[in-house]
């Protein structure tokens, strides 16, 4: 933790925040793309500390939140087939599909198990040849390499009772959709550090140039976040738009070439419907034709995903595109709480609604959320 402590130093963060407050000539609007950044900004009170200088709006970077209800329905359908075990990350279990969640389906007898990694799912398949093990693969470019590695490993080891329900998503098409929207207010992005670890910051150059928008790659600790915001503000104040890497202890310009190669070998970009945000051209990944034997949908089911009419009460689409903040949703904190969520952003560990519920409720404000020195 010693290495992390310097990025959580209260004095350093406060001094950065003060320099931002002094530098701004107008109130800028900056979107943090990643749900992990949203949690960091709220947890350390950076959003409120900069309220007069910068409006921070929250982006679509929570993969659990954007996974479509219809894909969850499909995962439940698979788990209901005899001898098919569906595995996935813990956050996905409680996210509602159109009728129920994987957790409630498990309670009713479906075979569902939480895993920490797709490689755990491969190990389960090897250990249980009597089962067909499906890994429900969600996540951005950050988790796609591990999924690709799992299927490569399954093939190498001759494990045939393993397959994937792929729901991976790509973050740049979502950023582009936000910039293209008529109601767009984003003037600069804090790009997600974890995604950039894989894809590299160079991959943002084209988006930055075409939309003339500053993109600053940043991490998740309070000084990382304050440094990223300061870099955005400096570009905006000087009418520049560049890709800046303010997370260079982790992110390289070209990213992780080996991880990118795994993804390239196994997946290709495809159109995908994002929960709350609708159709996203090239917003997803699917298995390449040469790997389709590992496609669980092809192996076990036929037909297109069912159409799902989303609940009119959950405003997750507006939350995920930064058009409203979670407390503006009438259900927030009342009808919708972590113990009975109406939508994915209240379930996920990276969800914006969960972040506001945890850190931003008025009744919690008796404790000042000034930048703390500890996690
Ligand atoms: S508070 Fe609940 S109902 Fe409202 S947008 Fe968030 S998840 Fe949906």
């Amino acid at each position: 933790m010693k290495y992390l402590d310097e990025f959580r130093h209260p004095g350093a963060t406060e001094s950065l925040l003060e320099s931002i407050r002094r530098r701004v000539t107008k109130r800028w609007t900056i979107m943090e793309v990643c749900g992990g950044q949203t949690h960091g900004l709220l947890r350390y009170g950076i959003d409120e500390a900069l309220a007069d200088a910068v409006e921070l709006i929250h982006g679509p970077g929570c993969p659990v939140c954007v996974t479509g209800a219809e894909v969850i329905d499909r995962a439940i359908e698979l788990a209901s087939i005899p001898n098919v075990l569906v595995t996935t990350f813990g956050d996905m279990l409680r996210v509602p599909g159109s009728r129920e969640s994987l957790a409630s389906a498990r309670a009713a007898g479906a075979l569902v198990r939480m895993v920490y990694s797709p490689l755990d799912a491969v190990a389960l398949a090897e250990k249980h040849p009597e089962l067909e093990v499906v890994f429900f693969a969600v996540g951005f470019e950050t988790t796609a390499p591990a999924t690709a590695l799992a299927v490569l490993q399954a093939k190498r080891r001759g494990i045939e009772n393993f397959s994937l329900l792929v729901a991976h998503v790509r973050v740049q098409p979502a950023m582009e959709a936000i910039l293209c929207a008529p109601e767009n207010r984003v003037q600069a992005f804090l790009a997600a550090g974890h995604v950039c670890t894989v894809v590299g910051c160079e991959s943002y150059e084209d988006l930055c140039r075409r939309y003339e928008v500053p993109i600053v790659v940043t991490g998740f600790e309070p000084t990382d976040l304050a440094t990223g915001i300061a870099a955005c503000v400096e570009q905006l104040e000087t009418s520049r738009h560049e890709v800046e890497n303010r997370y260079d202890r982790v992110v390289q310009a070209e990213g992780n070439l080996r991880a990118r190669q795994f993804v390239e070998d196994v997946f290709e970009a495809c159109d995908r419907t994002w929960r709350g945000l609708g159709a996203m051209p090239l917003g997803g990944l699917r298995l390449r034709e040469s790997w389709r034997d590992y496609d669980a949908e092809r192996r076990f089911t036929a037909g297109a995903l069912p159409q799902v009419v989303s609940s009119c009460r959950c405003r997750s689409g507006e939350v995920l595109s930064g058009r409203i903040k979670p407390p503006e949703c009438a259900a927030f904190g009342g009808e919708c709480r972590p113990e009975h969520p109406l939508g994915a952003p209240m379930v996920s560990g990276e969800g914006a609604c969960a972040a506001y519920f945890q850190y931003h409720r008025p009744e919690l404000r008796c404790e000042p959320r000034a930048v703390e020195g500890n996690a």
Side-chain angles (χ1 to χ4, degrees):
M1 293 300 283
K2 185 173 186 308
Y3 186 56
L4 272 182
D5 285 347
E6 64 194 279
F7 300 101
R8 293 177 179 171
H9 191 276
T13 309
E14 185 46 53
S15 136
L16 280 162
L17 298 180
E18 184 51 37
S19 72
I20 294 166
R21 287 189 287 261
R22 278 201 309 269
R23 184 70 179 94
V24 294
T25 56
K26 59 182 277 195
R27 190 167 181 253
W28 299 102
T29 303
I30 299 172
M31 173 177 275
E32 83 279 359
V33 173
C34 175
Q37 293 168 328
T38 305
H39 276 253
L41 291 165
L42 268 66
R43 177 182 195 174
Y44 292 101
I46 293 173
D47 59 326
E48 287 191 344
L50 291 178
D52 293 335
V54 173
E55 183 184 4
L56 292 163
I57 56 178
H58 317 308
C62 165
V64 170
C65 300
V66 302
T67 300
E70 65 279 6
V71 195
I72 296 170
D73 290 351
R74 177 56 51 90
I76 293 168
E77 185 187 327
L78 288 168
S80 306
I81 299 172
N83 298 329
V84 174
L85 170 66
V86 170
T87 58
T88 193
F89 300 127
D91 271 3
M92 279 312 299
L93 298 185
R94 291 178 58 235
V95 179
S98 64
R99 295 176 301 280
E100 59 177 337
S101 65
L102 279 162
S104 57
R106 179 172 63 181
L111 281 183
V112 178
R113 189 181 289 189
M114 185 194 92
V115 289
Y116 293 102
S117 140
L119 295 176
D120 294 345
V122 176
L124 271 172
E126 191 165 33
K127 193 172 166 196
H128 294 283
E130 76 282 9
L131 295 175
E132 283 283 346
V133 176
V134 176
F135 179 65
F136 180 18
V138 300
F140 287 101
E141 291 89 335
T142 326
T143 51
T147 309
L149 191 58
V151 78
L152 287 163
Q153 189 180 93
K155 186 176 176 83
R156 195 165 53 240
R157 288 156 65 172
I159 299 168
E160 292 181 352
N161 60 328
F162 174 76
S163 56
L164 298 172
L165 175 60
V166 181
H168 281 300
V169 280
R170 302 173 64 238
V171 77
Q172 283 200 37
M175 291 166 71
E176 183 157 5
I178 286 166
L179 291 170
C180 289
E183 67 274 15
N184 172 50
R185 295 191 300 124
V186 174
Q187 294 171 301
F189 283 112
L190 296 181
H194 289 155
V195 167
C196 296
T197 305
V198 175
V199 302
C201 46
E202 280 175 359
S203 67
Y204 287 87
E205 294 287 354
D206 181 57
L207 190 71
C208 172
R209 189 179 56 254
R210 283 190 290 120
Y211 290 92
E212 301 189 348
V213 62
I215 300 178
V216 177
V217 179
T218 185
F220 303 87
E221 302 303 331
T223 55
D224 289 323
L225 293 161
T227 301
I229 296 166
C232 285
V233 164
E234 189 57 33
Q235 287 199 43
L236 291 164
E237 290 286 345
T238 52
S239 302
R240 288 182 294 121
H241 53 274
E242 295 164 12
V243 176
E244 265 184 76
N245 183 4
R246 294 299 180 129
Y247 198 32
D248 60 2
R249 69 182 186 278
V250 174
V251 172
Q252 311 292 317
E254 73 281 7
N256 183 328
L257 291 175
R258 195 141 179 259
R260 286 172 64 179
Q261 192 60 55
F262 287 145
V263 174
E264 181 66 24
D265 288 346
V266 172
F267 296 118
E268 61 188 2
C270 66
D271 298 344
R272 170 135 309 141
T273 301
W274 286 39
R275 189 181 190 120
L277 299 176
M280 199 69 73
L282 300 179
L285 292 172
R286 68 180 174 202
L287 287 163
R288 289 186 181 280
E289 188 59 39
S290 53
W291 291 94
R292 292 287 173 85
D293 286 351
Y294 290 90
D295 183 342
E297 291 197 83
R298 192 176 276 198
R299 200 180 279 197
F300 301 108
T301 61
L305 291 171
Q307 290 296 310
V308 167
V309 180
S310 56
S311 160
C312 56
R313 286 177 300 162
C314 177
R315 300 178 68 184
S316 66
E318 293 164 272
V319 169
L320 292 167
S321 53
R323 278 179 280 150
I324 64 165
K325 302 259 171 82
E328 292 171 59
C329 170
F332 175 82
E335 202 184 353
C336 182
R337 303 166 66 90
E339 60 273 23
H340 49 85
L342 291 186
M346 189 58 93
V347 178
S348 167
E350 293 191 3
C353 299
Y356 271 79
F357 190 86
Q358 194 170 356
Y359 301 117
H360 226 283
R361 286 177 296 157
E363 66 268 29
L364 296 181
R365 289 192 195 141
C366 53
E367 293 289 324
R369 289 185 310 127
V371 178
E372 296 159 4
N374 221 331

